[in-house]
Amino acid sequence: MSVLIIEDFDKMRLLVRDILSPLMPEKIVMARNGKEAIELLEKQRFDIVFCDYKLGGGKDGQQILEEARHRNLIGYNAIFIIITAENTSTMVMGAIDYLPDDYISKPFTPSELQNRLEKALRKKSSLKEIANAIKDKNYSKATALCEQKLQEKTGGQTEILKTKGDLLYKLGRIDDAEDFYKSLLDERNIPWVRQALGQIYFQKGNYFQAQLQFESLIKDSPANVIALDWLAATLEKQGELDRCQTLLEQAIEKSPKSPVRQRKLGEIALQNGAYEVAEKAYEYAIMEGKHSCFGNMSDLSGLTKSMINQGKTEEAFKSIESLQKDFKNNPDTRLHAAIASSILCRETNELDKCSEYLKTVNSLIKSQPENMSPQIALDVTQSCLAVDNLEMAGDIVKQLVSNHFENEHLLNQVRDLYEKAGKLEEGNKLIQSSKQEIVKINNEGVKLAKDGKLEQSIDFFIQAAKGMPNNATINFNAAYSMIQQMKKTGEIGKYLPLSKQLLEQGHKIDPQNQKYFQLVKLAEDLNSQAA
């Protein structure tokens, strides 16, 4: 048993260590702040993490937990316990998005800490074999183990039921997951099952049923922030943006610490013309994101547009300058400050200044290639067209199309920008040629694989994936060629980690793409044969 203690006060850190020593852990490692904790979590796996909520400057305990879960720095059955002297609603509700296994309030006695730990260990013990299978990404084996343990009626039944539902989804067995949750609801009314079933309806595009599920959950528990988020997402899909905004505001009133939720409110409010709401949301997203893995300096462009639409151009300039100073250690700040400044100059018709800022943007993109979000790419394209810099606009659009060539909604947004600039014909030609280029690249890689030239196909797709990291098709086809090559040669270790990485990247881009689930099954079979 390995333990990580994260605490900024020396005496408290040593106290927790001394309390745990009688339990004979194999290793106890200590960190004084969030930075040290993340570095340790990146290097090794811990079975148990004790983390103080308040750690002075930098990340707090909740943000460490968020990053550890988001980046898979802790195992599926690892125990994460937050120690806190706080019980504010902001802290408690903020933890809803990423729940720790337990909270322990200061002051506590040695026996209280040990009892809580033993309780968490008992709860997780039934998941050990399942967790190992999940760690190996052998989801079929993990599912079978869940079914076996459910039949044996071992402890931790609720955890196992939740895990089984998650695994069915990971395997792409969406209909099975739906039937599974419905069968549980036939026995009794369980809120987490209703939540999971609503999410399945959402993934299947059955927004009406999803809406009914989430509305029902909120009616029973108006403080259910997760259901509020999902209902907002469901309404966004149905074009009900006013109500979507209202729900996000309700969720933020209860849990304001999430940069992701604040950013989404900013986006929706901007579309609704609620610029004051958008400004406040983007400000929160930037400030709350300062020490969060979900922080993103691209929020600066949203903030700037919100202020421009209220006629607050002078305040917007000052805001960009101020944030540049506050976030000077963030490597993305200079790029996004230049993008936001170019938007501001474009809208105030200071086109010479806009051109200068775009030169900075272009230089920074080339020197430190960044994965631009589609919205930022559209903003930069619009500024380029405003100053008639067609070459830079073309480069941005080519990259955008290469990553999202099947997203017609996004491509239509590009066409709209060119049409408003009086250059629709150029825009259409650019989109068409970029799409043809991507199709050609993909077809060449597929042909190499079909001709049995798998190593060449792998090299080809790896290079293509480097240039188009957000192209799900390229990522999946690269993984497919690797799986086929491993199957052919029996050299499982050669490509297995990289193929899994490409699969997860493709799944992150396009979560509903069935090819991911088919390839996961192929990879699982390969792994089982090798075991």
Side-chain angles (χ1 to χ4, degrees), residues 78 126 172 238 420-421 430 476 480 508 527:
S126 59
Q238 298 175 94
K420 284 174 185 168
L430 184 60
F476 288 143
Y480 176 78
K508 184 179 165 189
N527 216 13

Side-chain angles (χ1 to χ4, degrees), residues 393-403 430 433-434 437-438:
D395 289 343
I396 299 290
V397 169
K398 277 182 188 173
Q399 188 65 33
L400 187 66
V401 174
S402 68
N403 280 319
L430 184 60
S433 63
S434 301
E437 192 175 334
I438 302 309

Side-chain angles (χ1 to χ4, degrees), residues 474-506:
I474 295 291
N475 279 282
F476 288 143
N477 283 340
Y480 176 78
S481 291
M482 290 178 191
I483 291 168
Q484 291 305 315
Q485 179 66 352
M486 288 187 284
K487 195 173 174 183
K488 181 179 172 184
T489 63
E491 297 177 36
I492 307 300
K494 186 172 181 182
Y495 289 120
L496 196 60
L498 182 55
S499 64
K500 286 179 177 177
Q501 185 183 324
L502 290 162
L503 275 177
E504 294 308 318
Q505 174 66 7

Side-chain angles (χ1 to χ4, degrees), residues 13-39:
R13 205 163 53 241
L14 296 174
L15 173 66
V16 175
R17 186 196 65 181
D18 292 344
I19 292 173
L20 295 175
S21 292
L23 299 177
M24 306 292 285
E26 292 168 10
K27 186 197 301 181
I28 296 181
V29 179
M30 296 187 284
R32 293 170 298 179
N33 52 48
K35 185 172 181 292
E36 285 184 5
I38 293 297
E39 286 173 356

